[in-house]
Amino acid sequence: MIRVACAIIKNISNEVMIVQRSAKMPHPLQWEFPGGKLMGSETASDAIVREMEEELGILVSPIRELDDVYWEYPNKKIALVAVICEIRSGELSLREHVDVKWLGLNEMKKMNVLEADRLIIQLLEGDQ
């Protein structure tokens, strides 16, 4: 099982950031919450701080973690933990993804979002 963290970042309009994977990545052109695999003994919050700087050029402050969700893709099983966080500094720059959108949760459901991330959307709906 691979442990993965994703960032839940809201703007002032209460919309949440999602990013689109490139055509060269696994699950090409699907949408997801930004994030990545935990390295070594990293916590989900540590991983999110690192990943947001690497992938998006922003510094975030983790606020809290949601419960893990589990998903089995054809080639891997993941435990995904969502980390609610705030942008502290930096200029948003897509370094791995091809697009970014700020959407409400209902709008996200209409997008081609990765299956595990759909479970996070459900968690967020229950968290409001």
Short mmCIF file of all heavy atoms in Angstrom, two decimals, residues 51-110:
data_model
loop_
_atom_site.label_atom_id
_atom_site.label_comp_id
_atom_site.label_asym_id
_atom_site.label_seq_id
_atom_site.Cartn_x
_atom_site.Cartn_y
_atom_site.Cartn_z
N GLU A 51 5.68 18.79 -1.25
CA GLU A 51 5.08 18.62 -2.57
C GLU A 51 4.55 19.93 -3.15
O GLU A 51 4.68 20.19 -4.34
CB GLU A 51 3.95 17.59 -2.53
CG GLU A 51 4.42 16.16 -2.35
CD GLU A 51 4.95 15.52 -3.62
OE1 GLU A 51 4.80 16.09 -4.72
OE2 GLU A 51 5.51 14.42 -3.52
N MET A 52 3.94 20.77 -2.33
CA MET A 52 3.40 22.04 -2.84
C MET A 52 4.52 22.96 -3.31
O MET A 52 4.38 23.66 -4.30
CB MET A 52 2.53 22.73 -1.79
CG MET A 52 1.25 21.99 -1.44
SD MET A 52 0.20 21.54 -2.84
CE MET A 52 0.78 19.89 -3.23
N GLU A 53 5.64 22.92 -2.60
CA GLU A 53 6.79 23.72 -3.04
C GLU A 53 7.36 23.16 -4.34
O GLU A 53 7.62 23.92 -5.28
CB GLU A 53 7.85 23.75 -1.95
CG GLU A 53 8.94 24.75 -2.24
CD GLU A 53 9.88 24.95 -1.06
OE1 GLU A 53 9.77 24.23 -0.05
OE2 GLU A 53 10.73 25.83 -1.17
N GLU A 54 7.49 21.84 -4.43
CA GLU A 54 8.06 21.22 -5.63
C GLU A 54 7.14 21.34 -6.84
O GLU A 54 7.60 21.67 -7.93
CB GLU A 54 8.32 19.72 -5.38
CG GLU A 54 9.45 19.41 -4.43
CD GLU A 54 9.55 17.93 -4.10
OE1 GLU A 54 8.79 17.10 -4.65
OE2 GLU A 54 10.41 17.59 -3.27
N GLU A 55 5.86 21.06 -6.66
CA GLU A 55 4.93 20.99 -7.79
C GLU A 55 4.31 22.33 -8.18
O GLU A 55 4.01 22.56 -9.34
CB GLU A 55 3.77 20.03 -7.48
CG GLU A 55 4.18 18.58 -7.41
CD GLU A 55 2.98 17.66 -7.18
OE1 GLU A 55 1.83 18.15 -7.14
OE2 GLU A 55 3.21 16.45 -7.03
N LEU A 56 4.09 23.20 -7.18
CA LEU A 56 3.33 24.42 -7.43
C LEU A 56 4.06 25.71 -7.07
O LEU A 56 3.55 26.80 -7.30
CB LEU A 56 1.99 24.37 -6.69
CG LEU A 56 1.07 23.21 -7.05
CD1 LEU A 56 -0.16 23.21 -6.16
CD2 LEU A 56 0.67 23.25 -8.51
N GLY A 57 5.24 25.60 -6.45
CA GLY A 57 6.01 26.79 -6.11
C GLY A 57 5.41 27.62 -4.99
O GLY A 57 5.68 28.82 -4.91
N ILE A 58 4.60 26.99 -4.14
CA ILE A 58 3.98 27.73 -3.04
C ILE A 58 4.36 27.12 -1.70
O ILE A 58 4.62 25.92 -1.61
CB ILE A 58 2.44 27.79 -3.17
CG1 ILE A 58 1.83 26.38 -3.27
CG2 ILE A 58 2.04 28.66 -4.36
CD1 ILE A 58 0.31 26.34 -3.30
N LEU A 59 4.37 27.95 -0.68
CA LEU A 59 4.59 27.49 0.69
C LEU A 59 3.23 27.44 1.37
O LEU A 59 2.48 28.42 1.34
CB LEU A 59 5.52 28.45 1.44
CG LEU A 59 5.76 28.11 2.91
CD1 LEU A 59 6.46 26.77 3.04
CD2 LEU A 59 6.58 29.20 3.57
N VAL A 60 2.91 26.28 1.94
CA VAL A 60 1.62 26.12 2.62
C VAL A 60 1.84 25.81 4.09
O VAL A 60 2.88 25.30 4.48
CB VAL A 60 0.75 25.01 1.98
CG1 VAL A 60 0.41 25.35 0.54
CG2 VAL A 60 1.40 23.65 2.09
N SER A 61 0.82 26.13 4.88
CA SER A 61 0.79 25.76 6.30
C SER A 61 -0.34 24.76 6.50
O SER A 61 -1.51 25.09 6.26
CB SER A 61 0.52 26.98 7.17
OG SER A 61 1.59 27.87 7.12
N PRO A 62 0.00 23.53 6.91
CA PRO A 62 -1.05 22.55 7.18
C PRO A 62 -1.88 22.97 8.39
O PRO A 62 -1.36 23.50 9.36
CB PRO A 62 -0.26 21.27 7.49
CG PRO A 62 1.11 21.50 6.94
CD PRO A 62 1.34 22.97 7.03
N ILE A 63 -3.19 22.75 8.31
CA ILE A 63 -4.10 23.07 9.40
C ILE A 63 -4.55 21.79 10.10
O ILE A 63 -4.45 21.68 11.30
CB ILE A 63 -5.32 23.87 8.89
CG1 ILE A 63 -4.84 25.20 8.30
CG2 ILE A 63 -6.35 24.08 9.99
CD1 ILE A 63 -5.91 25.96 7.55
N ARG A 64 -5.05 20.84 9.31
CA ARG A 64 -5.44 19.55 9.90
C ARG A 64 -5.56 18.50 8.81
O ARG A 64 -5.71 18.81 7.63
CB ARG A 64 -6.72 19.66 10.70
CG ARG A 64 -7.97 19.91 9.92
CD ARG A 64 -9.17 20.10 10.85
NE ARG A 64 -10.34 20.50 10.10
CZ ARG A 64 -11.26 19.66 9.64
NH1 ARG A 64 -11.16 18.37 9.86
NH2 ARG A 64 -12.31 20.11 8.96
N GLU A 65 -5.49 17.24 9.26
CA GLU A 65 -5.61 16.11 8.36
C GLU A 65 -6.98 15.48 8.51
O GLU A 65 -7.52 15.39 9.61
CB GLU A 65 -4.53 15.07 8.67
CG GLU A 65 -3.12 15.59 8.46
CD GLU A 65 -2.03 14.58 8.81
OE1 GLU A 65 -2.36 13.38 9.04
OE2 GLU A 65 -0.86 14.97 8.85
N LEU A 66 -7.54 15.03 7.39
CA LEU A 66 -8.80 14.29 7.40
C LEU A 66 -8.48 12.80 7.52
O LEU A 66 -7.32 12.39 7.39
CB LEU A 66 -9.59 14.57 6.12
CG LEU A 66 -9.98 16.03 5.87
CD1 LEU A 66 -10.76 16.14 4.57
CD2 LEU A 66 -10.81 16.58 7.02
N ASP A 67 -9.49 11.99 7.72
CA ASP A 67 -9.29 10.54 7.78
C ASP A 67 -8.77 10.01 6.45
O ASP A 67 -9.12 10.53 5.38
CB ASP A 67 -10.61 9.83 8.10
CG ASP A 67 -11.09 10.12 9.52
OD1 ASP A 67 -10.26 10.46 10.38
OD2 ASP A 67 -12.32 10.02 9.75
N ASP A 68 -7.96 8.96 6.52
CA ASP A 68 -7.46 8.31 5.31
C ASP A 68 -8.62 7.71 4.52
O ASP A 68 -9.61 7.26 5.10
CB ASP A 68 -6.51 7.16 5.66
CG ASP A 68 -5.19 7.64 6.25
OD1 ASP A 68 -5.05 8.83 6.58
OD2 ASP A 68 -4.29 6.79 6.38
N VAL A 69 -8.48 7.71 3.20
CA VAL A 69 -9.38 6.94 2.34
C VAL A 69 -8.51 5.93 1.59
O VAL A 69 -7.31 6.16 1.39
CB VAL A 69 -10.18 7.83 1.35
CG1 VAL A 69 -11.06 8.81 2.09
CG2 VAL A 69 -9.27 8.56 0.38
N TYR A 70 -9.11 4.83 1.20
CA TYR A 70 -8.36 3.75 0.56
C TYR A 70 -8.96 3.47 -0.80
O TYR A 70 -10.18 3.44 -0.95
CB TYR A 70 -8.40 2.49 1.44
CG TYR A 70 -7.82 2.75 2.81
CD1 TYR A 70 -8.64 3.15 3.87
CD2 TYR A 70 -6.45 2.63 3.03
CE1 TYR A 70 -8.11 3.41 5.12
CE2 TYR A 70 -5.91 2.89 4.29
CZ TYR A 70 -6.75 3.28 5.32
OH TYR A 70 -6.22 3.55 6.55
N TRP A 71 -8.07 3.27 -1.77
CA TRP A 71 -8.53 2.96 -3.13
C TRP A 71 -7.57 1.99 -3.76
O TRP A 71 -6.36 2.09 -3.56
CB TRP A 71 -8.63 4.24 -3.96
CG TRP A 71 -9.29 3.97 -5.26
CD1 TRP A 71 -8.70 3.75 -6.47
CD2 TRP A 71 -10.69 3.82 -5.49
NE1 TRP A 71 -9.64 3.50 -7.43
CE2 TRP A 71 -10.88 3.54 -6.84
CE3 TRP A 71 -11.81 3.92 -4.67
CZ2 TRP A 71 -12.14 3.34 -7.41
CZ3 TRP A 71 -13.06 3.73 -5.23
CH2 TRP A 71 -13.22 3.44 -6.58
N GLU A 72 -8.12 1.10 -4.56
CA GLU A 72 -7.29 0.14 -5.29
C GLU A 72 -7.42 0.41 -6.77
O GLU A 72 -8.49 0.22 -7.36
CB GLU A 72 -7.72 -1.29 -4.96
CG GLU A 72 -6.78 -2.32 -5.53
CD GLU A 72 -7.05 -3.72 -5.03
OE1 GLU A 72 -7.75 -3.87 -4.01
OE2 GLU A 72 -6.55 -4.66 -5.67
N TYR A 73 -6.34 0.90 -7.37
CA TYR A 73 -6.25 1.06 -8.81
C TYR A 73 -5.78 -0.29 -9.37
O TYR A 73 -5.30 -1.14 -8.62
CB TYR A 73 -5.26 2.17 -9.17
CG TYR A 73 -5.78 3.55 -8.82
CD1 TYR A 73 -5.35 4.21 -7.67
CD2 TYR A 73 -6.70 4.19 -9.64
CE1 TYR A 73 -5.84 5.47 -7.34
CE2 TYR A 73 -7.19 5.46 -9.32
CZ TYR A 73 -6.75 6.09 -8.18
OH TYR A 73 -7.23 7.33 -7.86
N PRO A 74 -5.89 -0.50 -10.69
CA PRO A 74 -5.47 -1.80 -11.24
C PRO A 74 -4.03 -2.21 -10.89
O PRO A 74 -3.75 -3.38 -10.71
CB PRO A 74 -5.63 -1.61 -12.75
CG PRO A 74 -6.68 -0.56 -12.88
CD PRO A 74 -6.48 0.36 -11.70
N ASN A 75 -3.15 -1.23 -10.76
CA ASN A 75 -1.73 -1.56 -10.53
C ASN A 75 -1.21 -1.18 -9.15
O ASN A 75 -0.03 -1.37 -8.87
CB ASN A 75 -0.87 -0.89 -11.60
CG ASN A 75 -1.03 0.63 -11.60
OD1 ASN A 75 -2.00 1.16 -11.09
ND2 ASN A 75 -0.07 1.32 -12.17
N LYS A 76 -2.06 -0.61 -8.27
CA LYS A 76 -1.57 -0.22 -6.94
C LYS A 76 -2.73 0.06 -5.99
O LYS A 76 -3.84 0.38 -6.42
CB LYS A 76 -0.67 1.01 -7.03
CG LYS A 76 -1.39 2.25 -7.53
CD LYS A 76 -0.45 3.41 -7.74
CE LYS A 76 -1.17 4.51 -8.47
NZ LYS A 76 -0.29 5.50 -9.03
N LYS A 77 -2.42 -0.07 -4.71
CA LYS A 77 -3.37 0.29 -3.65
C LYS A 77 -2.82 1.52 -2.95
O LYS A 77 -1.61 1.59 -2.67
CB LYS A 77 -3.49 -0.83 -2.62
CG LYS A 77 -4.10 -2.09 -3.15
CD LYS A 77 -4.14 -3.15 -2.07
CE LYS A 77 -4.65 -4.46 -2.61
NZ LYS A 77 -4.65 -5.51 -1.59
N ILE A 78 -3.70 2.49 -2.67
CA ILE A 78 -3.23 3.69 -1.99
C ILE A 78 -4.05 3.97 -0.74
O ILE A 78 -5.23 3.63 -0.66
CB ILE A 78 -3.22 4.94 -2.90
CG1 ILE A 78 -4.64 5.36 -3.30
CG2 ILE A 78 -2.36 4.72 -4.13
CD1 ILE A 78 -4.70 6.75 -3.89
N ALA A 79 -3.39 4.59 0.23
CA ALA A 79 -4.04 5.20 1.38
C ALA A 79 -3.81 6.70 1.18
O ALA A 79 -2.67 7.16 1.14
CB ALA A 79 -3.40 4.73 2.67
N LEU A 80 -4.88 7.43 1.00
CA LEU A 80 -4.81 8.85 0.68
C LEU A 80 -5.30 9.66 1.87
O LEU A 80 -6.41 9.43 2.36
CB LEU A 80 -5.66 9.14 -0.56
CG LEU A 80 -5.76 10.57 -1.04
CD1 LEU A 80 -4.39 11.12 -1.46
CD2 LEU A 80 -6.73 10.67 -2.22
N VAL A 81 -4.47 10.59 2.32
CA VAL A 81 -4.88 11.47 3.42
C VAL A 81 -4.90 12.90 2.90
O VAL A 81 -3.95 13.37 2.28
CB VAL A 81 -3.97 11.33 4.66
CG1 VAL A 81 -2.53 11.62 4.36
CG2 VAL A 81 -4.47 12.21 5.79
N ALA A 82 -6.03 13.56 3.11
CA ALA A 82 -6.19 14.95 2.70
C ALA A 82 -5.73 15.85 3.84
O ALA A 82 -6.09 15.62 5.00
CB ALA A 82 -7.64 15.23 2.35
N VAL A 83 -4.95 16.87 3.48
CA VAL A 83 -4.45 17.83 4.46
C VAL A 83 -5.03 19.20 4.10
O VAL A 83 -4.74 19.73 3.02
CB VAL A 83 -2.91 17.89 4.46
CG1 VAL A 83 -2.41 18.90 5.48
CG2 VAL A 83 -2.31 16.50 4.72
N ILE A 84 -5.85 19.72 4.97
CA ILE A 84 -6.39 21.07 4.76
C ILE A 84 -5.27 22.05 5.09
O ILE A 84 -4.63 21.94 6.13
CB ILE A 84 -7.63 21.30 5.63
CG1 ILE A 84 -8.73 20.32 5.19
CG2 ILE A 84 -8.10 22.75 5.55
CD1 ILE A 84 -9.97 20.33 6.05
N CYS A 85 -5.01 22.97 4.18
CA CYS A 85 -3.90 23.91 4.41
C CYS A 85 -4.19 25.27 3.78
O CYS A 85 -5.13 25.43 3.02
CB CYS A 85 -2.59 23.32 3.89
SG CYS A 85 -2.63 22.60 2.27
N GLU A 86 -3.36 26.22 4.15
CA GLU A 86 -3.45 27.59 3.64
C GLU A 86 -2.18 27.93 2.89
O GLU A 86 -1.09 27.49 3.28
CB GLU A 86 -3.56 28.58 4.80
CG GLU A 86 -4.81 28.46 5.62
CD GLU A 86 -4.81 29.46 6.79
OE1 GLU A 86 -3.71 29.86 7.24
OE2 GLU A 86 -5.90 29.79 7.26
N ILE A 87 -2.31 28.73 1.85
CA ILE A 87 -1.13 29.23 1.15
C ILE A 87 -0.54 30.35 1.98
O ILE A 87 -1.26 31.28 2.38
CB ILE A 87 -1.49 29.74 -0.26
CG1 ILE A 87 -2.03 28.60 -1.12
CG2 ILE A 87 -0.26 30.39 -0.92
CD1 ILE A 87 -2.52 29.04 -2.50
N ARG A 88 0.74 30.28 2.25
CA ARG A 88 1.43 31.31 3.02
C ARG A 88 2.19 32.29 2.12
O ARG A 88 2.23 33.48 2.38
CB ARG A 88 2.43 30.67 4.00
CG ARG A 88 1.78 30.00 5.16
CD ARG A 88 1.14 31.07 6.02
NE ARG A 88 0.52 30.46 7.18
CZ ARG A 88 -0.49 30.98 7.81
NH1 ARG A 88 -1.01 32.11 7.41
NH2 ARG A 88 -0.99 30.40 8.86
N SER A 89 2.82 31.74 1.07
CA SER A 89 3.59 32.61 0.18
C SER A 89 3.87 31.86 -1.12
O SER A 89 3.60 30.67 -1.24
CB SER A 89 4.90 33.05 0.84
OG SER A 89 5.74 31.93 1.08
N GLY A 90 4.44 32.60 -2.05
CA GLY A 90 4.81 32.02 -3.33
C GLY A 90 3.82 32.39 -4.42
O GLY A 90 2.70 32.84 -4.15
N GLU A 91 4.25 32.20 -5.63
CA GLU A 91 3.45 32.47 -6.82
C GLU A 91 3.11 31.13 -7.45
O GLU A 91 4.02 30.37 -7.81
CB GLU A 91 4.24 33.35 -7.80
CG GLU A 91 3.45 33.92 -8.93
CD GLU A 91 2.44 34.97 -8.50
OE1 GLU A 91 2.71 35.71 -7.53
OE2 GLU A 91 1.38 35.03 -9.12
N LEU A 92 1.84 30.81 -7.57
CA LEU A 92 1.40 29.54 -8.11
C LEU A 92 1.99 29.32 -9.51
O LEU A 92 1.82 30.15 -10.40
CB LEU A 92 -0.12 29.48 -8.16
CG LEU A 92 -0.74 28.17 -8.60
CD1 LEU A 92 -0.40 27.06 -7.62
CD2 LEU A 92 -2.24 28.32 -8.72
N SER A 93 2.71 28.22 -9.66
CA SER A 93 3.36 27.89 -10.92
C SER A 93 3.23 26.39 -11.17
O SER A 93 3.70 25.58 -10.35
CB SER A 93 4.85 28.28 -10.83
OG SER A 93 5.56 27.76 -11.91
N LEU A 94 2.58 26.00 -12.26
CA LEU A 94 2.39 24.58 -12.57
C LEU A 94 3.70 24.00 -13.11
O LEU A 94 4.14 24.36 -14.19
CB LEU A 94 1.28 24.40 -13.59
CG LEU A 94 -0.12 24.81 -13.14
CD1 LEU A 94 -1.11 24.70 -14.28
CD2 LEU A 94 -0.57 23.99 -11.95
N ARG A 95 4.30 23.10 -12.34
CA ARG A 95 5.58 22.50 -12.72
C ARG A 95 5.44 21.08 -13.23
O ARG A 95 6.34 20.58 -13.90
CB ARG A 95 6.53 22.56 -11.54
CG ARG A 95 6.82 24.00 -11.13
CD ARG A 95 7.67 24.09 -9.91
NE ARG A 95 7.94 25.49 -9.59
CZ ARG A 95 8.50 25.89 -8.48
NH1 ARG A 95 8.87 25.01 -7.56
NH2 ARG A 95 8.71 27.17 -8.26
N GLU A 96 4.34 20.41 -12.88
CA GLU A 96 4.10 19.03 -13.33
C GLU A 96 2.74 18.88 -13.98
O GLU A 96 2.55 18.00 -14.80
CB GLU A 96 4.20 18.06 -12.15
CG GLU A 96 5.59 17.94 -11.58
CD GLU A 96 5.66 16.89 -10.47
OE1 GLU A 96 4.73 16.06 -10.36
OE2 GLU A 96 6.65 16.91 -9.73
N HIS A 97 1.80 19.70 -13.59
CA HIS A 97 0.44 19.61 -14.09
C HIS A 97 0.22 20.58 -15.24
O HIS A 97 1.03 21.49 -15.44
CB HIS A 97 -0.55 19.88 -12.94
CG HIS A 97 -0.47 18.84 -11.87
ND1 HIS A 97 0.45 18.90 -10.84
CD2 HIS A 97 -1.18 17.71 -11.68
CE1 HIS A 97 0.29 17.85 -10.06
NE2 HIS A 97 -0.69 17.11 -10.54
N VAL A 98 -0.88 20.40 -15.97
CA VAL A 98 -1.12 21.25 -17.14
C VAL A 98 -2.19 22.31 -16.93
O VAL A 98 -2.31 23.23 -17.71
CB VAL A 98 -1.46 20.40 -18.39
CG1 VAL A 98 -0.27 19.55 -18.81
CG2 VAL A 98 -2.69 19.54 -18.19
N ASP A 99 -2.97 22.18 -15.86
CA ASP A 99 -4.01 23.18 -15.61
C ASP A 99 -4.37 23.16 -14.13
O ASP A 99 -4.11 22.19 -13.42
CB ASP A 99 -5.25 22.86 -16.45
CG ASP A 99 -6.18 24.07 -16.65
OD1 ASP A 99 -5.86 25.17 -16.14
OD2 ASP A 99 -7.23 23.89 -17.30
N VAL A 100 -4.97 24.25 -13.69
CA VAL A 100 -5.45 24.38 -12.31
C VAL A 100 -6.82 25.05 -12.36
O VAL A 100 -7.07 25.89 -13.23
CB VAL A 100 -4.47 25.19 -11.43
CG1 VAL A 100 -4.28 26.61 -11.96
CG2 VAL A 100 -4.91 25.21 -9.98
N LYS A 101 -7.71 24.60 -11.50
CA LYS A 101 -9.03 25.23 -11.39
C LYS A 101 -9.39 25.37 -9.91
O LYS A 101 -8.95 24.58 -9.08
CB LYS A 101 -10.11 24.37 -12.07
CG LYS A 101 -10.02 24.34 -13.57
CD LYS A 101 -11.24 23.66 -14.16
CE LYS A 101 -11.15 23.55 -15.66
NZ LYS A 101 -11.22 24.80 -16.37
N TRP A 102 -10.18 26.38 -9.63
CA TRP A 102 -10.76 26.58 -8.30
C TRP A 102 -12.25 26.34 -8.47
O TRP A 102 -12.93 27.07 -9.19
CB TRP A 102 -10.49 28.00 -7.82
CG TRP A 102 -9.04 28.30 -7.60
CD1 TRP A 102 -8.16 28.79 -8.52
CD2 TRP A 102 -8.31 28.12 -6.39
NE1 TRP A 102 -6.92 28.93 -7.94
CE2 TRP A 102 -6.98 28.52 -6.64
CE3 TRP A 102 -8.65 27.65 -5.12
CZ2 TRP A 102 -5.99 28.48 -5.66
CZ3 TRP A 102 -7.66 27.61 -4.14
CH2 TRP A 102 -6.35 28.01 -4.41
N LEU A 103 -12.77 25.29 -7.81
CA LEU A 103 -14.15 24.89 -8.01
C LEU A 103 -14.83 24.58 -6.68
O LEU A 103 -14.19 24.17 -5.71
CB LEU A 103 -14.22 23.63 -8.87
CG LEU A 103 -13.65 23.71 -10.28
CD1 LEU A 103 -13.64 22.32 -10.92
CD2 LEU A 103 -14.44 24.68 -11.13
N GLY A 104 -16.15 24.71 -6.68
CA GLY A 104 -16.95 24.22 -5.58
C GLY A 104 -17.02 22.70 -5.67
O GLY A 104 -16.77 22.11 -6.72
N LEU A 105 -17.38 22.05 -4.57
CA LEU A 105 -17.40 20.59 -4.54
C LEU A 105 -18.39 20.02 -5.56
O LEU A 105 -18.10 19.01 -6.22
CB LEU A 105 -17.74 20.09 -3.14
CG LEU A 105 -16.71 20.46 -2.05
CD1 LEU A 105 -17.19 19.96 -0.69
CD2 LEU A 105 -15.33 19.92 -2.38
N ASN A 106 -19.55 20.63 -5.74
CA ASN A 106 -20.52 20.15 -6.73
C ASN A 106 -19.97 20.25 -8.15
O ASN A 106 -20.21 19.37 -8.97
CB ASN A 106 -21.84 20.89 -6.61
CG ASN A 106 -22.66 20.42 -5.42
OD1 ASN A 106 -22.53 19.27 -5.00
ND2 ASN A 106 -23.48 21.29 -4.88
N GLU A 107 -19.23 21.32 -8.43
CA GLU A 107 -18.62 21.47 -9.75
C GLU A 107 -17.55 20.39 -9.98
O GLU A 107 -17.41 19.88 -11.08
CB GLU A 107 -17.98 22.85 -9.90
CG GLU A 107 -18.97 23.99 -9.90
CD GLU A 107 -18.27 25.33 -9.83
OE1 GLU A 107 -17.64 25.63 -8.80
OE2 GLU A 107 -18.35 26.05 -10.84
N MET A 108 -16.81 20.07 -8.93
CA MET A 108 -15.76 19.05 -9.04
C MET A 108 -16.32 17.70 -9.45
O MET A 108 -15.68 16.96 -10.17
CB MET A 108 -15.02 18.90 -7.71
CG MET A 108 -13.95 19.88 -7.52
SD MET A 108 -13.06 19.46 -6.01
CE MET A 108 -12.32 21.04 -5.72
N LYS A 109 -17.50 17.39 -8.94
CA LYS A 109 -18.11 16.09 -9.24
C LYS A 109 -18.35 15.91 -10.74
O LYS A 109 -18.44 14.79 -11.22
CB LYS A 109 -19.42 15.94 -8.49
CG LYS A 109 -19.27 15.82 -7.00
CD LYS A 109 -20.66 15.69 -6.40
CE LYS A 109 -20.65 15.82 -4.92
NZ LYS A 109 -22.00 15.78 -4.36
N LYS A 110 -18.47 17.00 -11.48
CA LYS A 110 -18.71 16.95 -12.92
C LYS A 110 -17.42 16.79 -13.72
O LYS A 110 -17.46 16.55 -14.92
CB LYS A 110 -19.44 18.22 -13.37
CG LYS A 110 -20.78 18.41 -12.70
CD LYS A 110 -21.36 19.76 -13.03
CE LYS A 110 -22.61 20.03 -12.20
NZ LYS A 110 -23.07 21.40 -12.31
#
